[in-house]
Amino acid sequence: MSKAKGFIKEFQEFAVKGNMIDLAVGVIIGAAFGKIIDSLVKDVLMPVINFIIGGEADFSNKFIVLAQPEGYTGPQTLEALQAAGANVFAYGSFITILINFILLAFVVFLLVKAISKARARFEAEKAAEVTPDPEDIVLLREIRDSLKK
């Protein structure tokens, strides 16, 4: 029983550490952020792209049937063919996920860039808060500058 208690105590210490909590929060926020990007692509970008090109740019329903089940006469949609067991090359789903990834990577890049800029500004402000020089150092600098002249 003492091994089990030791294991549970060790697990509690691991789970409560700051890094583990930060990782969990990051994963949760990342999953939610991924859903936001997915909605952005599906509900905002794709309709705009459809409007601009004046046609059907719904990549999610682009596919090539490699092998259709014998005797299948149902609808020729991706979902119906996959449900019937057809071998389908669904390149449209890949294109949609690729667009999602590119947008997600771009937004993360912008966030990291903004954080780096803010951190640099903070460090510059912190470095500017230099304490005044003691009188001895000021006097020595004046002597040095006089000798240079």
Side-chain angles (χ1 to χ4, degrees), residues 31 44 50 61 67 83 90 115 127:
V44 177
N50 279 333
N61 205 27
I115 289 170

Side-chain angles (χ1 to χ4, degrees), residues 33-34 36-50 53 57-60 62 91-108:
F33 196 66
I36 290 170
I37 294 296
D38 189 40
S39 176
L40 174 70
V41 169
K42 188 174 100 180
D43 301 328
V44 177
L45 278 179
M46 293 312 292
V48 171
I49 291 171
N50 279 333
I53 66 173
D58 181 18
F59 297 125
S60 62
K62 301 291 183 189
Y91 65 91
S93 298
F94 175 75
I95 292 172
T96 302
I97 290 171
L98 184 64
I99 292 170
N100 287 352
F101 171 76
I102 291 169
L103 284 174
L104 185 62
F106 181 68
V107 170
V108 169

Side-chain angles (χ1 to χ4, degrees), residues 68-79:
Q68 190 166 314
E70 267 188 57
Y72 178 75
T73 59
Q76 295 293 311
T77 63
L78 180 62
E79 295 81 21

Side-chain angles (χ1 to χ4, degrees), residues 47 79 131 145:
E79 295 81 21
T131 56
D145 292 344

